[in-house]
């Protein structure tokens, strides 16, 4: 080797200098250095360098031996480049709707990299009356958070890997690595670990050119790296070199495989790919000025507990005077945004669930004086709601009560029962006045009227409940597309009681011959055409806006002004029973159009569903439903079945008596949202995916 005068070659440097150089090299650079000459190879293979590299990726766990490998270098190379899993620890997935949250670790006793699912349960919960508004009850809960250690989602053994291939001078990475979960062989469920490929264009948080469904992590979560979701199952979704591999994102391919004794190979089916991204520690680590940052647990009623990421951006502190700099008030500045790490069919993972735009004076509503929120700061906020499948999402006004750095309450409106004041619902699709009445009501909050004058009218003395509404569509709706009925989030087929099919036939015969749906589906539903389902239907006149007013207890079938003319022009029978039978014919419904800007008023009632005893009483058939209840709320929905537009949703929540009379739950050690929604027996829920 020729060396110019006054210079020295790398190999001639003292060993101490070479050692320090090697300590600062990237693993691949160490590998390249080892191929130069024997002296540099000896330095590059020094096991202390590789022990340090492993230790840097395993925070909180001291690594003292390379078991089961023979050296730290061998152990490092067997898991390379997957050491980023235990380094970042927390990972959240893009699995449809619900997502998944994992905690990863390195297990030194076995030399494996493992990841387990993080789960939250509601724990003890109770209801209490809110003295600020006696018509509102507060739902508290104390979540328990645990790691599902019995069933690892990922388990990577430190097995020797096949040498990397080279093609046209480029290193081709191994495509997939088997995930060795103990349940795989017994259950027939298999999975492979996959490296992802970087999305080539940096994604800005406010960039609207790509939807959240096309990139991961979503733009709602600040992240240095992203991948493109549409390409994930094609060849373009795989990296071809280390420069294309993100260290904050990976993928898992899962499938089922059935092996038959007569076949040489198994039958592979149900293949899916999930993409996981980490959360940068700065996003969930609270500071003195940003105390609400963190990973929280929210109670979402029938959807169960969900994990939220509460974000407080590092905006410059507003100079409001030296006196505030010495007080606690400086924490009440800027925005607070909650993003779902796990979600549900209405508002899925990766979406904002609520946001308070200003915690400071601009957003302050009041300081609560009533128990249990005494002293809490109450600020303006907006809650994110949507129909199933994240359709027609919108933000509704709400209030955020800041009890402490570990507990928040989110205040949603409730549908009050047996009152003359209607709930007014405004959506992009319609304006609605809604009245809900329940006979012998014994639900929350305590002190609610037990009945309504409605049930004293001759037409309704036998009825158990009523859902009455006036709706003004903002765009025309084909008569055959508007449906009214029930749907559920989870399957109920395993909870259906004996004789259900008989009961369903009685319902179609006695209550609504037009009802149809699939109670055995994964997302069960029972809908009927609104024109033939509602008991009373009245067509009003056109008007620019809907004036808030109670739906009359004595609503009569018919029409007002040109609304009556409209019914006559379509030959709609004047009698309610005849009208329901008339619109059972699809051709009649197809001829009808709900005009934009016209008021339509309806009442749906029957004597068959007893909410107080939770029983179904049909002619010649009575069935107690309590034994078959799985905790899901009962929803009544008015929607457009073609476009998916939802006009309103009413959620009936069954509250066990023990919970309603229980004591307030103690605070959990983990951050949790006491999303203290006003909990009546029903909730105003224009597509509402509210937080209990």
């Amino acid at each position: 080797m020729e060396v110019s005068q006054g210079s020295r070659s790398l190999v001639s440097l003292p060993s101490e200098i070479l050692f320090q150089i090697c300590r600062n090299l990237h693993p691949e650079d160490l590998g390249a250095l080892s191929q130069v000459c024997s002296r540099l190879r000896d330095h590059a293979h020094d096991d202390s360098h590789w022990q340090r590299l492993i230790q840097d990726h395993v925070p909180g766990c001291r690594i003292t031996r390379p078991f089961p490998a023979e050296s730290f270098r061998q152990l490092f190379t067997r898991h390379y480049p997957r050491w980023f899993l235990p380094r970042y620890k927390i990972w959240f997935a893009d699995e449809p709707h619900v997502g998944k949250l994992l905690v990863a670790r390195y297990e030194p006793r076995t030399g494996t990299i493992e990841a387990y699912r993080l789960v939250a349960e509601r724990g003890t919960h109770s209801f209490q009356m809110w003295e600020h508004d006696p018509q509102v009850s507060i739902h508290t809960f104390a979540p328990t958070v645990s790691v599902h250690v019995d069933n690892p989602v990922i388990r990577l053994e430190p097995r020797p890997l096949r040498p990397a291939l080279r093609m046209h001078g480029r290193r081709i990475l191994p495509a997939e690595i088997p995930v060795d979960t103990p349940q795989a062989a017994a259950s027939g469920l298999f999975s492979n670990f996959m490296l992802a490929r970087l999305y080539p264009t940096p994604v800005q948080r406010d960039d609207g050119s790509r939807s959240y469904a096309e990139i991961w992590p979503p733009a709602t979560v600040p992240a240095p790296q992203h991948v493109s979701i549409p390409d994930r199952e094609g060849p373009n979704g795989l990296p071809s070199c280390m420069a294309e591999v993100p260290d904050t994102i990976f993928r898992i391919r899962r499938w089922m495989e059935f092996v038959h004794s007569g076949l040489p190979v198994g039958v592979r089916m149900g293949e899916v790919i999930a993409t996981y991204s980490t959360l940068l520690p700065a996003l969930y680590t609270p500071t003195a000025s940003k105390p609400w940052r963190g990973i929280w647990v929210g109670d979402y009623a029938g959807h169960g507990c969900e994990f939220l990421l509460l974000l407080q951006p590092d905006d410059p502190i507003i100079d409001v005077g030296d006196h505030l700099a010495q007080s606690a008030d400086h924490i009440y500045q800027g925005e607070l945004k909650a993003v779902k790490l796990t979600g549900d069919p209405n508002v899925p993972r990766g979406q904002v669930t609520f946001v308070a735009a200003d915690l400071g004076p601009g957003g302050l509503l009041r300081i609560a004086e009533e128990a249990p929120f005494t002293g809490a700061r109450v600020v303006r906020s907006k809650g994110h709601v949507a129909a199933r499948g994240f359709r027609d999402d919108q933000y509704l006004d709400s209030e955020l009560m800041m009890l402490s750095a570990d507990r928040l309450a989110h205040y949603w409106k409730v549908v009050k029962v047996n009152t003359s004041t209607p709930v007014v619902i405004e959506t992009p699709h319609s304006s609605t006045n809604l009245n809900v009445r329940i006979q012998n009501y014994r639900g929350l909050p305590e002190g609610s009227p037990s009945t309504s004058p409605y049930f004293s009218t001759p037409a309704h003395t036998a009825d158990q409940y009523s859902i009455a509404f006036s709706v003004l569509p903002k765009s025309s709706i084909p008569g055959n597309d508007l449906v009214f009925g029930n749907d559920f989030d989870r399957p109920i087929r395993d909870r259906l009681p004996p004789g259900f099919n008989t009961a369903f036939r009685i319902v179609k015969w006695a209550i609504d011959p037009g009802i149809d749906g699939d109670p055995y589906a994964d997302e069960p539903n029972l809908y009927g055409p609104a024109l033939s389902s509602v008991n009373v239907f009245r067509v009003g006149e056109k008007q620019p806006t809907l004036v808030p007013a109670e739906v009359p207890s004595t609503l009569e079938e018919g029409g007002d002004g040109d609304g009556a003319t409209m019914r006559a022009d379509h030959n709609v029978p004047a009698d309610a029973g005849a009208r329901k039978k008339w619109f059972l014919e699809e051709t009649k419904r197809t001829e009808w159009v709900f005009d934009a800007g016209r008021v339509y008023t309806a009442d749906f009632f029957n004597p068959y569903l007893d909410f107080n005893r939770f029983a179904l009483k049909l002619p010649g058939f009575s069935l107690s439903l309590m034994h078959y209840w799985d905790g899901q709320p009962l929803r009544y929905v008015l929607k457009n079945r073609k476009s998916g537009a939802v006009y309103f949703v009413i959620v009936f929540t069954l509250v066990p008596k023990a919970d309603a009379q229980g004591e307030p739950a103690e605070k959990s050690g983990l951050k949790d949202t006491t999303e203290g929604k006003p909990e009546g027996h029903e909730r105003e829920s224009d597509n509402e995916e509210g937080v209990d």
Side-chain angles (χ1 to χ4, degrees):
M1 176 183 297
E2 295 185 3
V3 182
S4 62
Q5 187 177 4
S7 65
R8 303 179 64 184
S9 67
L10 182 63
V11 294
S12 65
L13 292 175
S15 295
E16 294 82 359
I17 301 298
L18 288 175
F19 181 85
Q20 292 299 325
I21 291 175
C22 291
R23 281 184 62 86
N24 292 281
L25 291 180
H26 187 274
E28 290 208 350
D29 295 329
L30 272 177
L33 186 67
S34 69
Q35 300 179 45
V36 174
C37 66
S38 60
R39 184 166 186 245
L40 294 180
R41 180 193 62 199
D42 292 341
H43 281 283
H45 285 191
D46 188 321
D47 224 26
S48 64
H49 300 316
W50 301 95
Q51 182 181 12
R52 175 186 56 80
L53 288 170
I54 293 175
Q55 189 65 70
D56 289 346
H57 287 83
V58 189
C61 177
R62 182 170 175 77
I63 306 300
T64 59
R65 61 179 187 142
F67 180 84
E70 297 178 358
S71 66
F72 286 108
R73 176 177 175 273
Q74 186 183 75
L75 177 62
F76 185 88
T77 55
R78 288 185 176 183
H79 279 309
Y80 185 74
R82 299 175 300 280
W83 284 104
F84 56 77
L85 269 79
R87 177 182 179 184
Y88 290 112
K89 294 186 179 180
I90 297 177
W91 302 86
F92 69 110
D94 70 338
E95 294 189 1
H97 301 307
V98 296
K100 187 178 291 183
L101 192 63
L102 302 184
V103 176
R105 69 172 182 177
Y106 173 73
E107 175 52 78
R109 293 174 298 180
T110 58
T112 56
I113 293 176
E114 302 170 347
Y116 299 89
R117 185 172 185 177
L118 196 65
V119 295
E121 296 178 327
R122 183 175 288 120
T124 57
H125 54 286
S126 64
F127 298 85
Q128 62 185 102
M129 207 162 72
W130 190 19
E131 60 184 65
H132 179 71
D133 184 350
Q135 290 296 313
V136 171
S137 65
I138 303 163
H139 180 193
T140 65
F141 78 119
T144 57
V145 178
S146 58
V147 178
H148 198 181
V149 295
D150 295 334
N151 186 17
V153 178
I154 299 173
R155 190 173 189 272
L156 300 176
E157 296 277 1
R159 60 165 59 93
L161 301 180
R162 293 174 298 174
L165 302 177
R166 289 188 177 273
M167 183 177 297
H168 305 299
R170 303 182 69 188
R171 186 183 183 206
I172 308 301
L173 300 172
E176 302 183 16
I177 306 298
V179 173
D180 300 304
T181 56
Q183 292 80 9
S187 63
L189 299 174
F190 298 89
S191 55
N192 282 351
F193 178 93
M194 305 168 59
L195 296 173
R197 191 183 74 162
L198 277 173
Y199 181 62
T201 304
V203 177
Q204 302 297 323
R205 290 185 63 190
D206 297 328
D207 180 15
S209 62
R210 297 183 68 83
S211 71
Y212 293 167
E214 295 177 320
I215 59 171
W216 195 259
T220 52
V221 178
Q225 299 170 323
H226 294 79
V227 296
S228 180
I229 298 301
D231 295 335
R232 64 184 180 182
E233 296 190 45
N236 293 331
L238 299 175
S240 59
C241 62
M242 283 303 302
E244 297 178 348
V245 177
D247 64 353
T248 59
I249 306 170
F250 67 89
R251 290 182 171 132
I252 295 292
R253 184 193 301 273
R254 299 197 311 272
W255 71 94
M256 299 178 64
E257 190 165 321
F258 300 94
V259 180
H260 192 274
S261 58
L263 298 176
V265 294
V267 178
R268 187 165 171 167
M269 60 188 299
E271 184 173 296
V272 295
I273 296 179
T275 303
Y276 288 82
S277 173
T278 191
L279 296 171
L280 299 181
L283 298 178
Y284 58 82
T285 303
T287 66
S289 61
K290 307 289 183 181
W292 289 282
R293 278 182 181 163
I295 298 175
W296 293 57
V297 179
D299 188 356
Y300 283 72
H303 297 306
C305 290
E306 299 179 12
F307 288 103
L308 313 178
L309 174 65
L310 262 63
L311 297 169
Q312 286 188 274
D314 278 319
D315 298 326
I317 297 296
I318 302 173
D319 184 8
V320 293
D322 292 339
H323 65 287
L324 284 185
Q326 304 300 322
S327 71
D329 289 348
H330 71 281
I331 66 175
Y332 297 117
Q333 295 192 47
E335 177 187 72
L336 180 64
K337 180 183 293 184
V339 178
K340 289 192 173 188
L341 298 178
T342 59
D344 52 66
N346 292 73
V347 177
R349 81 289 175 273
Q351 295 294 337
V352 174
T353 181
F354 66 84
V355 59
D358 185 3
L359 302 182
L364 178 64
L365 294 174
R366 63 188 179 92
I367 301 298
E369 298 180 354
E370 73 284 357
F373 304 125
T374 306
R377 187 181 186 89
V378 183
V379 298
R380 292 186 182 89
S381 61
K382 289 185 177 293
H384 200 181
V385 300
R388 293 174 62 81
F390 195 52
R391 299 190 308 270
D392 302 320
D393 69 302
Q394 60 180 304
Y395 285 88
L396 302 180
D397 291 333
S398 58
E399 296 179 8
L400 187 65
M401 301 179 181
M402 312 184 76
L403 284 75
S404 70
D406 295 306
R407 189 173 287 270
L408 299 173
H410 199 201
Y411 171 39
W412 297 82
K413 290 179 65 178
V414 69
V415 175
K416 297 181 179 180
V417 179
N418 294 334
T419 65
S420 59
T421 304
V423 173
V424 178
I425 303 173
E426 282 290 338
T427 79
H429 310 293
S430 63
S431 301
T432 303
N433 292 333
L434 176 68
N435 287 96
V436 175
R437 302 160 176 131
I438 298 178
Q439 178 68 298
N440 299 319
Y441 182 65
R442 295 179 296 176
L444 294 174
E446 294 182 5
S448 298
S450 62
T451 189
S452 163
Y454 174 92
F455 298 107
S456 299
T457 60
H460 301 294
T461 54
D463 291 324
Q464 294 293 322
Y465 72 103
S466 160
I467 299 173
F469 56 90
S470 294
V471 59
L472 186 147
K474 296 180 180 179
S475 58
S476 296
I477 309 169
N480 195 40
D481 294 344
L482 190 66
V483 294
F484 181 74
N486 312 105
D487 61 27
F488 301 87
D489 290 327
R490 303 189 302 272
I492 59 174
R493 51 181 172 263
D494 295 332
R495 308 286 299 188
L496 295 177
F500 170 79
N501 290 331
T502 299
F504 187 53
R505 287 194 294 269
I506 296 175
V507 168
K508 294 197 68 168
W509 166 69
I511 302 177
D512 186 0
I515 193 171
D516 199 7
D518 186 359
Y520 296 94
D522 289 339
E523 295 182 355
N525 62 86
L526 292 171
Y527 290 117
L531 287 167
S532 63
S533 293
V534 296
N535 301 78
V536 179
F537 177 59
R538 192 169 187 87
V539 183
E541 297 183 292
K542 285 195 172 186
Q543 54 190 58
T545 58
L546 182 65
V547 178
E550 180 185 16
V551 178
S553 299
T554 55
L555 183 68
E556 296 181 355
E557 185 83 13
D560 300 303
D562 63 350
T565 304
M566 181 180 178
R567 286 184 62 128
D569 290 344
H570 286 78
N571 298 317
V572 177
D575 176 72
R579 181 261 309 163
K580 293 176 68 175
K581 185 175 180 180
W582 171 273
F583 279 122
L584 285 176
E585 296 184 26
E586 184 176 355
T587 55
K588 301 292 194 302
R589 298 195 302 270
T590 304
E591 295 170 356
W592 182 273
V593 175
F594 291 92
D595 293 334
R598 185 182 295 277
V599 178
Y600 300 89
T601 305
D603 191 4
F604 178 82
F605 53 83
N606 67 60
Y608 307 117
L609 183 57
D610 186 341
F611 282 102
N612 294 302
R613 294 180 176 82
F614 204 46
L616 185 64
K617 299 179 179 180
L618 302 173
F621 189 95
S622 181
L623 179 66
S624 174
L625 303 176
M626 182 59 71
H627 298 298
Y628 309 100
W629 177 57
D630 67 349
Q632 293 194 70
L634 175 64
R635 282 198 297 257
Y636 280 91
V637 185
L638 183 71
K639 62 181 288 187
N640 186 319
R641 65 178 177 182
K642 284 283 185 67
S643 68
V646 176
Y647 304 100
F648 67 77
V649 178
I650 306 173
V651 181
F652 290 81
T653 303
L654 183 65
V655 180
K657 186 176 182 180
D659 292 341
Q661 297 177 347
E663 294 299 321
E666 296 181 359
K667 187 179 80 171
S668 166
L670 186 79
K671 288 193 172 186
D672 68 280
T673 52
T674 303
E675 298 288 353
K677 159 185 91 61
E679 174 75 60
H681 202 76
E682 302 81 30
R683 177 175 66 212
E684 173 195 351
S685 178
D686 170 47
N687 319 338
E688 180 164 337
E689 189 278 325
V691 180
D692 274 318

mmCIF file of all heavy atoms in Angstrom, residues 49 139 170 330 427 553:
data_model
loop_
_atom_site.group_PDB
_atom_site.id
_atom_site.type_symbol
_atom_site.label_atom_id
_atom_site.label_comp_id
_atom_site.label_asym_id
_atom_site.label_seq_id
_atom_site.Cartn_x
_atom_site.Cartn_y
_atom_site.Cartn_z
ATOM 1 N N HIS A 49 -18.071 -4.855 20.715
ATOM 2 C CA HIS A 49 -18.824 -3.962 19.827
ATOM 3 C C HIS A 49 -20.235 -4.493 19.607
ATOM 4 O O HIS A 49 -21.217 -3.732 19.633
ATOM 5 C CB HIS A 49 -18.113 -3.824 18.476
ATOM 6 C CG HIS A 49 -16.727 -3.266 18.565
ATOM 7 N ND1 HIS A 49 -16.402 -2.191 19.343
ATOM 8 C CD2 HIS A 49 -15.561 -3.649 17.953
ATOM 9 C CE1 HIS A 49 -15.117 -1.915 19.227
ATOM 10 N NE2 HIS A 49 -14.582 -2.794 18.390
ATOM 11 N N HIS A 139 -70.798 8.009 34.244
ATOM 12 C CA HIS A 139 -70.295 6.644 34.204
ATOM 13 C C HIS A 139 -68.796 6.678 34.482
ATOM 14 O O HIS A 139 -68.038 7.247 33.718
ATOM 15 C CB HIS A 139 -70.576 6.045 32.821
ATOM 16 C CG HIS A 139 -70.091 4.645 32.665
ATOM 17 N ND1 HIS A 139 -70.010 4.009 31.447
ATOM 18 C CD2 HIS A 139 -69.639 3.746 33.564
ATOM 19 C CE1 HIS A 139 -69.540 2.792 31.608
ATOM 20 N NE2 HIS A 139 -69.311 2.610 32.884
ATOM 21 N N ARG A 170 -26.947 -5.782 -6.266
ATOM 22 C CA ARG A 170 -27.704 -5.323 -5.103
ATOM 23 C C ARG A 170 -27.985 -6.503 -4.179
ATOM 24 O O ARG A 170 -28.228 -7.624 -4.620
ATOM 25 C CB ARG A 170 -29.024 -4.679 -5.522
ATOM 26 C CG ARG A 170 -28.875 -3.512 -6.475
ATOM 27 C CD ARG A 170 -30.221 -2.906 -6.809
ATOM 28 N NE ARG A 170 -30.789 -2.233 -5.656
ATOM 29 C CZ ARG A 170 -32.030 -1.759 -5.635
ATOM 30 N NH1 ARG A 170 -32.824 -1.913 -6.678
ATOM 31 N NH2 ARG A 170 -32.482 -1.140 -4.559
ATOM 32 N N HIS A 330 -49.673 27.636 33.236
ATOM 33 C CA HIS A 330 -48.981 27.565 31.948
ATOM 34 C C HIS A 330 -49.230 26.238 31.240
ATOM 35 O O HIS A 330 -48.975 26.119 30.046
ATOM 36 C CB HIS A 330 -47.478 27.776 32.145
ATOM 37 C CG HIS A 330 -46.798 26.611 32.813
ATOM 38 N ND1 HIS A 330 -46.862 26.410 34.178
ATOM 39 C CD2 HIS A 330 -46.061 25.593 32.308
ATOM 40 C CE1 HIS A 330 -46.175 25.304 34.472
ATOM 41 N NE2 HIS A 330 -45.685 24.799 33.365
ATOM 42 N N THR A 427 -77.200 17.148 11.044
ATOM 43 C CA THR A 427 -76.158 16.440 10.309
ATOM 44 C C THR A 427 -76.078 17.028 8.912
ATOM 45 O O THR A 427 -76.943 17.818 8.504
ATOM 46 C CB THR A 427 -76.491 14.933 10.204
ATOM 47 O OG1 THR A 427 -77.462 14.732 9.164
ATOM 48 C CG2 THR A 427 -77.036 14.393 11.520
ATOM 49 N N SER A 553 -97.942 13.918 21.018
ATOM 50 C CA SER A 553 -98.343 12.612 21.549
ATOM 51 C C SER A 553 -99.516 12.034 20.777
ATOM 52 O O SER A 553 -99.724 10.820 20.753
ATOM 53 C CB SER A 553 -98.719 12.742 23.030
ATOM 54 O OG SER A 553 -97.632 13.196 23.793
#
